[in-house]
Amino acid sequence: MTVSGALALCAVTAPTAQAAQAASPTIVPCSEGALVNAIDAANAAGGGTLILAPFCTYSLTSAHGGDGDGPSGLPNITSPISMTGLGTTITRDNEADPFRIIEVDGPSHEPYGQGQLTLTTITVRNGDAGDDVGGGIANFGGHVILTASTVRDNGADLGGGIYTDNALTLTASGVHDNTAATDGGGIYKNSGSVSLLASPIVHNSPNNCGANPPAVPDC
């Protein structure tokens, strides 16, 4: 093979190898620091797939994200990130200061935000947004997709479990035993769309769903 041919082959194969490497999932050990670092790395790479430890409880002892809408336990989701677990829980430690668990930022909230969060077989619990919104998950202009997941035992002023102002999709997922001081104990839809498929929103206080008109369907 000529030198020019070898260079041409490298030019073709190198990006393919890089793309394959970028698409490889990240295995996240069962620790707060490992999960925080994995999300930071995924955001820096423009997105990623995280495989969380089975039957692990990621207990968050301090806030690692947030902005003017209050602190968040995990770094803000600003890119397409998928997290898959198996009997896996992400929770705020009972001794920690109040903070929500997850914030997802889209372009309407953060100019460079392209946040899309997909959770599969994961429980989000014990977030406390205080006077802010979205105790478990606050979706600010992004897209949140939950499959076979649970949001429970969280609190906020609006949207004790989940607050959303863009797109929220739940499939075979539950939102229960969350509390809001004002409205939307389970889900508060400020704007955008909410799609529920085989996803019970129950036992939330003072109500299961709150919204600016129109109301959340099937809730």
Side-chain angles (χ1 to χ4, degrees):
M1 180 182 293
T2 65
V3 173
S4 60
L7 291 175
L9 178 61
C10 290
V12 171
T13 58
T16 303
Q18 290 172 358
Q21 184 177 8
S24 299
T26 298
I27 308 299
V28 183
C30 186
S31 77
E32 175 181 12
L35 181 55
V36 168
N37 291 339
I39 293 173
D40 280 337
N43 278 328
T49 298
L50 309 183
I51 307 300
L52 275 55
F55 309 108
C56 164
T57 296
Y58 291 88
S59 185
L60 307 179
T61 60
S62 62
H64 301 275
D67 49 28
D69 296 289
S72 301
L74 294 179
N76 295 9
I77 306 297
T78 58
S79 64
I81 294 178
S82 171
M83 301 187 206
T84 299
L86 177 62
T88 303
T89 297
I90 304 173
T91 185
R92 181 182 64 87
D93 186 274
N94 287 328
E95 301 301 319
D97 291 336
F99 52 78
R100 75 170 56 86
I101 304 299
I102 302 172
E103 176 177 328
V104 180
D105 291 340
S108 64
H109 184 74
E110 164 60 50
Y112 301 102
Q114 298 295 327
Q116 177 173 307
L117 174 66
T118 301
L119 295 181
T120 303
T121 327
I122 292 173
T123 294
V124 175
R125 66 175 304 181
N126 205 35
D128 183 358
D131 293 335
D132 290 296
V133 301
I137 301 172
N139 178 29
F140 297 126
H143 190 179
V144 173
I145 303 167
L146 272 59
T147 302
S149 294
T150 302
V151 179
R152 60 174 298 182
D153 304 315
N154 303 283
D157 181 47
L158 296 171
I162 302 172
Y163 171 95
T164 182
D165 61 17
N166 193 30
L168 173 66
T169 303
L170 275 64
T171 302
S173 297
V175 180
H176 63 86
D177 296 294
N178 303 282
T179 303
T182 300
D183 198 10
I187 297 173
Y188 187 87
K189 185 190 79 168
N190 186 56
S191 58
S193 64
V194 174
S195 175
L196 305 175
L197 177 61
S199 296
I201 316 300
V202 296
H203 307 308
N204 301 285
S205 177
N207 52 0
N208 289 314
C209 294
N212 286 326
V216 177
D218 303 320
C219 184

